[in-house]
Amino acid sequence: MASGPLSLTVDGIKLKLCLTRKRVKNINARLVGDELRVSAPPRVSDAELAAAVDELARKLVRRQRARAVNGANDALELARKVALRFPRPPRIARAEYSTNQRSRWGSYSQRTRTVRLNAALREMPRWVLEAVVAHELAHVVYPDHSPAFWRLLRQVCPATDRARAFLDGVAWTAAHWEALPPVERALLKGPGDDASG
């Protein structure tokens, strides 16, 4: 990997890469605006450096995005509002969007009283977000997915089944997006500039 100004794209965000090889023990990176500043020891191979830069860039971009989406405290307000629908409202100390949560839509820790939500939910309809929060809070009462769990969840959030179907569709589309032929991808994006239809 050559030294000097380069660029890379991480999670759809284009970054300027300023890479310096110098006497440091480890590969270090800082994200300043849209510039990723990396210092690396001379002994590190180009392949090892490229892999480390990708991993560090992704971590820093997601951390920066998490700070941006959590700035307004709207997740906490929403979680507390949903909690009030329960017969015995769970206590919420913190709620935040996470950019590291890839395998689940949400979680709730009874120990820290923290709700964590996949950051992608922030861009979805509010009823979907409320259903995810309600789902996580229902686990305070029922730690499983028993019939009693689903009865409680549907009682506090009538949009539960609709939200599950919505999220299943989102997950399927995300998992298959690259494999879809270009015409089908264009159809899923909507009419766009096509005025004939």
Side-chain angles (χ1 to χ4, degrees), residues 85-158:
R85 298 179 191 168
F86 284 80
R88 294 185 63 206
R91 293 180 58 205
I92 312 288
R94 286 181 41 203
E96 60 188 27
Y97 295 100
S98 171
T99 55
N100 296 327
Q101 212 156 345
R102 296 177 58 91
S103 62
R104 45 176 39 185
W105 292 111
S107 64
Y108 175 71
S109 167
Q110 289 189 57
R111 185 180 60 78
T112 63
R113 298 188 317 272
T114 300
V115 174
R116 284 195 173 73
L117 300 165
N118 184 308
L121 288 166
R122 192 168 190 269
E123 304 302 322
M124 295 183 194
R126 187 157 176 106
W127 54 269
V128 174
L129 186 52
E130 289 179 6
V132 171
V133 171
H135 182 110
E136 298 310 323
L137 297 180
H139 282 304
V140 171
V141 181
Y142 299 104
D144 53 19
H145 288 113
S146 65
F149 168 88
W150 291 109
R151 272 193 304 277
L152 172 63
L153 182 54
R154 290 180 180 114
Q155 175 190 336
V156 298
C157 184

